[in-house]
Amino acid sequence: MHTVRKDRAARTPRAARGALLLSALGLAAGLPLSAAAPAAAAAQEAPRAEETARAEEAPRAEETARAGHCPQLSTELDWFGDNRERLQRVIDERGSCAHPGLGTDRGRAHDEGRPVAVFDWDNTVTKNDITDVTLGWALRHDKILRPERWTDLSAWLTPAADRALTRACGTDVPAGAPLPTSTDTACADEIFEIRSEARTMAGEEAFEGEWNHRRTVPEYAWVPQLFTGRTPAEVKTYTAAARAEALAAPVGSERKVGTHTVPAYVRYYPQQRDLIRTLQRAGFDVNIVSAGSEPVTEVWSAGVGIRESRTYAIRSVLDEGRITPVNEGCGGVPASRGGVIPYVDGKRCVVNQEIFGIEGAEAWEKQDADERIVIGGGDANTDVTFVGDATGAHLVLNRNQDEVMCRAYDNADGRWIVNPMFIEPNPRKDGPYPCSTTGFVREDGSLGPVLREDGSVIPDQRDTAF
């Protein structure tokens, strides 16, 4: 088995960023004219004319400089409150406006000295979940291969789930052959219910055992495991077909997967597409870190101009070019059947290891400011750690999830930016977020209060951006 790793920069201290400021045009201080001496007044006319010319030229020079080095977010796209202005301020302060030498993204490896921005994908850059859309398409087109044993896929699959899958999908289809899920509704239902609800259609738990709840969740790892035996290129083909369907489907439309009713459409958020492109023009190194399947995410991220080399998700280990149930580890944790994925703290690990080149256990730790991202964007508790690591702006799209919204509304460092979802936003949450009691998910899955870095408890927060 082997894994094809992406190119990444070796870890070296990030170069100190010199403040390459735009040259300011100086204005000579004019001396007052003498009313008693016409000759003196005439003598000063030339300097005054020169001063006036300089004063008129300065705004034009500044405007030209800003046009060249200060890419601007579109004013035609709606943001909540003053969010656009706050993001623009960070772009100007940390990008090419203040540091013209940064240049633009020309496809090099992660360059030392360039500010880094990282975004989650599902419901952050797009409305709706591209992993579910792709899995739904695969089930409707008989693209899932029957495993020898369902327990070969996930280390945590329960006996009840194994029995349910075996009963629904049968054993008539040889192992390694496609399951007829386009017509076998019961089989499609069991597979999709385990993905979406982590239970069987009979309501029994699909996963059991111990796992670090801030590093993985079995039903997320389940999706790439379902593509065992396929090649990444095949998964990309399925994704491309699913993407075309989803982009053509009307906003708000639904479809059936088995008997499940699911969203049929996906849309790129125009505001996020504009933000990503503006960041790239301003010299930022823009990346995607998702808890979805990596081949799936790579197909979609190309639509906002982000290369595969800057797209990180669950990366399956390959055996002779084919996907296995094992995925690559992170931060010194070896490859396993879902033990570590880009999920909550796992996203921080991926950012530190793959973007900043930090190896071993240190990749799980919060780094010094010069080895952290400038802008992080997400929508869920799965994103809270890496988004919180950002030094310039923590952008959160409000999906009413406890921990991330507790931290966003508490706004301890004044850099959290909360925006409703741009398409079909959630209604205001009923009652406060339970920050002081159960807003935080511990490693063992138990719940507790959300704490600030100084150990103090975040009080319950009301929903204000909806």
Side-chain angles (χ1 to χ4, degrees):
M1 295 185 183
H2 70 283
T3 312
V4 179
R5 295 187 63 85
K6 300 187 180 186
D7 292 337
R8 54 182 168 86
R11 186 192 179 196
T12 56
R14 290 174 76 80
R17 296 169 179 156
L20 302 176
L21 302 177
L22 296 174
S23 297
L25 291 173
L27 297 179
L31 296 174
L33 293 175
S34 170
Q44 292 196 39
E45 188 64 32
R48 284 178 58 84
E50 182 179 351
E51 178 181 337
T52 299
R54 286 181 176 177
E56 292 174 350
E57 182 65 25
R60 289 196 294 270
E62 183 178 350
E63 183 178 348
T64 300
R66 287 187 61 83
H69 297 297
C70 301
Q72 300 292 296
L73 294 169
S74 172
T75 58
E76 302 300 316
L77 299 172
D78 290 334
W79 287 81
F80 183 78
D82 63 350
N83 288 349
R84 180 197 299 109
E85 291 74 20
R86 294 177 65 194
L87 287 166
Q88 187 66 59
R89 188 157 54 246
V90 176
I91 295 169
D92 290 347
E93 291 172 354
R94 303 296 290 273
S96 59
C97 187
H99 311 280
L102 287 174
T104 57
D105 181 359
R106 295 185 176 86
R108 299 184 296 270
H110 300 293
D111 295 348
E112 290 295 328
R114 289 179 60 199
V116 176
V118 177
F119 296 90
D120 166 59
W121 189 266
D122 297 302
N123 287 300
T124 295
V125 180
T126 57
K127 172 68 176 183
N128 289 329
D129 193 302
I130 63 171
T131 299
D132 286 346
V133 164
T134 302
L135 176 58
W137 188 95
L139 290 170
R140 291 185 292 106
H141 292 83
D142 300 342
K143 299 302 182 183
I144 302 300
L145 306 178
R146 185 176 83 81
E148 184 73 37
R149 294 171 298 275
W150 288 100
T151 52
D152 290 342
L153 300 186
S154 172
W156 299 291
L157 198 72
T158 62
D162 183 35
R163 288 192 298 270
L165 287 161
T166 302
R167 182 170 55 251
C169 300
T171 56
D172 292 343
V173 173
L179 290 163
T181 47
S182 62
T183 55
D184 189 341
T185 300
C187 182
D189 272 344
E190 290 293 352
I191 291 171
F192 199 83
E193 184 76 358
I194 289 172
R195 153 61 185 173
S196 60
E197 303 297 335
R199 66 189 182 204
T200 68
M201 290 295 289
E204 296 178 284
E205 293 294 328
F207 303 104
E208 65 181 4
E210 295 183 0
W211 58 85
N212 187 322
H213 290 249
R214 297 192 72 82
R215 295 187 177 187
T216 192
V217 60
E219 58 266 35
Y220 282 30
W222 177 245
V223 176
Q225 290 167 338
L226 286 169
F227 288 109
T228 293
R230 296 297 188 184
T231 66
E234 287 175 324
V235 174
K236 287 183 177 182
T237 299
Y238 310 155
T239 304
R243 177 179 178 271
E245 276 189 359
L247 291 176
V251 170
S253 61
E254 297 176 331
R255 71 165 67 250
K256 291 287 188 180
V257 176
T259 62
H260 292 77
T261 301
V262 299
Y265 80 98
V266 176
R267 289 293 186 276
Y268 290 95
Y269 285 134
Q271 291 87 344
Q272 297 291 62
R273 189 196 297 265
D274 179 58
L275 174 57
I276 288 169
R277 290 178 175 175
T278 302
L279 287 166
Q280 290 172 328
R281 292 196 302 270
F284 280 73
D285 179 4
V286 185
N287 302 259
I288 297 298
V289 177
S290 169
S293 172
E294 193 160 271
V296 173
T297 311
E298 288 172 341
V299 170
W300 281 87
S301 65
V304 291
I306 296 180
R307 298 173 177 83
E308 292 185 3
S309 63
R310 286 169 164 82
T311 302
Y312 304 97
I314 301 176
R315 186 178 303 160
S316 299
V317 173
L318 306 181
D319 185 1
E320 297 184 353
R322 296 190 176 275
I323 292 169
T324 73
V326 176
N327 68 272
E328 186 175 332
C330 186
V333 179
S336 65
R337 286 186 294 162
V340 169
I341 64 173
Y343 178 81
V344 194
D345 294 351
K347 288 193 175 185
R348 168 190 281 169
C349 186
V350 169
V351 169
N352 287 342
Q353 177 176 288
E354 301 297 330
I355 298 175
F356 292 98
I358 298 167
E359 299 285 357
E362 189 183 353
W364 295 98
E365 304 300 323
K366 185 175 183 177
Q367 301 299 307
D368 293 338
D370 63 345
E371 290 192 311
R372 302 213 310 267
I373 64 177
V374 172
I375 294 176
D379 69 289
N381 294 336
T382 62
D383 309 314
V384 66
T385 304
F386 91 86
V387 171
D389 283 347
T391 61
H394 323 279
L395 175 62
V396 177
L397 269 62
N398 184 2
R399 286 210 301 129
N400 301 144
Q401 298 211 356
D402 289 346
E403 183 183 352
V404 70
M405 297 312 299
C406 287
R407 297 195 184 281
Y409 284 136
D410 184 54
N411 197 16
D413 65 359
R415 295 186 174 94
W416 289 84
I417 299 174
V418 181
N419 210 93
M421 291 189 290
F422 299 106
I423 299 172
E424 295 187 328
N426 282 2
R428 184 178 190 178
K429 178 180 172 62
D430 291 333
Y433 290 94
C435 312
S436 65
T437 53
T438 59
F440 182 81
V441 179
R442 300 187 180 102
E443 292 184 355
D444 64 1
S446 63
L447 304 179
V450 185
L451 305 179
R452 303 185 182 100
E453 286 195 359
D454 63 6
S456 59
V457 175
I458 295 177
D460 293 355
Q461 301 289 319
R462 294 281 178 180
D463 207 11
T464 57
F466 51 91

